[in-house]
Amino acid sequence: MKKNIALIFALIGWFALIAQYYLHIENRISSLLEANFRFFTYFTILVNLIVTIYFTSVAFKKQGAEDKNIGYLTAITVYITIVGVTYQIILRGTWQPTGLQRIVDELLHSIMPVLTIIFWYLFENKAKVKYSQILKWAVFPIVYLIVILFRGSFSGFYPYPFVDVTALGLTKVLINSLFITILFFIISFLYIRIGKALKK
């Protein structure tokens, strides 16, 4: 059952990512090369890509193969929960997509987070996930933030309004980033705490 569910979720993820890439390239206002760089500076895209690759690997993993990456599913569930929460609270009201873009938008920001949480609930080995792993999980979002701020300093492009140094200034962006970092640690702690409670 696990492999079948993972395959279905992977197919949904790949459809959403490929469709979003197509729309992004079709509607680009920059060169093709720059458009490709920008596509992969969105945290939503990177996290959905990680999640989709994870589901794909689970779907095609050999039967009975031992999962040595305890906590990995919790980590990516934290990441995509942040994607969903940030979008619903901060970004949803900033634009009104229509047609295929609206479908893709909901898949990436709403459906995939919910599917990942369901998969975490059903299949994560929650008892073995440790609080000490949270610091390791934090490396990805911190490195991501550094990269987009560095690249934005010479390209002028920032993927999200709350990290737009040009519009907000560096101080405000760092404050916003601090709040998101705190949110990351809170969500990570809650997943581990809830997971251990569910096991009991």
Side-chain angles (χ1 to χ4, degrees):
M1 183 178 75
K2 180 179 180 181
K3 289 164 71 76
N4 291 335
I5 293 174
L7 179 59
I8 294 169
F9 289 2
L11 291 173
I12 295 170
W14 286 121
F15 169 79
L17 287 166
I18 292 168
Q20 181 60 63
Y21 179 76
Y22 167 77
L23 292 168
H24 178 79
I25 296 301
E26 277 290 299
N27 299 315
R28 71 184 187 275
I29 56 174
S30 58
S31 69
L32 181 60
L33 180 62
E34 176 63 17
N36 277 284
F37 275 121
R38 291 185 180 188
F39 183 75
F40 290 103
T41 59
Y42 286 97
F43 191 72
T44 296
I45 297 300
L46 293 176
V47 171
N48 272 278
L49 183 59
I50 291 170
V51 167
T52 303
I53 290 173
Y54 173 81
F55 285 141
T56 304
S57 69
V58 171
F60 292 99
K61 187 163 59 177
K62 290 182 180 180
Q63 196 70 32
E66 183 183 358
D67 188 0
K68 298 178 181 178
N69 298 311
I70 300 297
Y72 188 82
L73 175 55
T74 301
I76 65 174
T77 305
V78 170
Y79 298 153
I80 204 159
T81 299
I82 291 172
V83 167
V85 169
T86 303
Y87 182 79
Q88 306 305 330
I89 295 175
I90 301 175
L91 299 174
R92 180 174 285 280
T94 62
W95 75 322
Q96 300 297 325
T98 58
L100 178 59
Q101 182 62 76
R102 182 175 182 179
I103 294 171
V104 172
D105 197 58
E106 293 299 337
L107 287 173
L108 293 172
H109 297 102
S110 303
I111 304 302
M112 287 303 291
V114 170
L115 296 181
T116 308
I117 291 169
I118 291 171
F119 200 85
W120 171 85
Y121 174 79
L122 292 174
F123 302 114
E124 175 64 291
N125 191 344
K126 303 173 189 67
K128 292 188 177 181
V129 182
K130 301 176 181 177
Y131 291 104
S132 59
Q133 292 178 283
I134 294 176
L135 289 177
K136 186 165 59 176
W137 301 344
V139 171
F140 169 60
I142 290 172
V143 170
Y144 167 79
L145 177 64
I146 293 170
V147 169
I148 63 168
L149 291 181
F150 174 73
R151 188 174 190 278
S153 67
F154 62 82
S155 70
F157 174 76
Y158 298 92
Y160 299 104
F162 51 84
V163 291
D164 189 340
V165 176
T166 304
L168 302 177
L170 183 59
T171 301
K172 179 63 174 175
V173 167
L174 291 178
I175 292 172
N176 290 343
S177 301
L178 176 62
F179 280 122
I180 294 174
T181 302
I182 293 171
L183 177 65
F184 164 81
F185 280 102
I186 291 172
I187 292 175
S188 298
F189 178 85
L190 286 175
Y191 268 111
I192 297 175
R193 184 71 188 88
I194 292 169
K196 291 184 181 303
L198 288 172
K199 275 299 179 181
K200 290 179 181 178

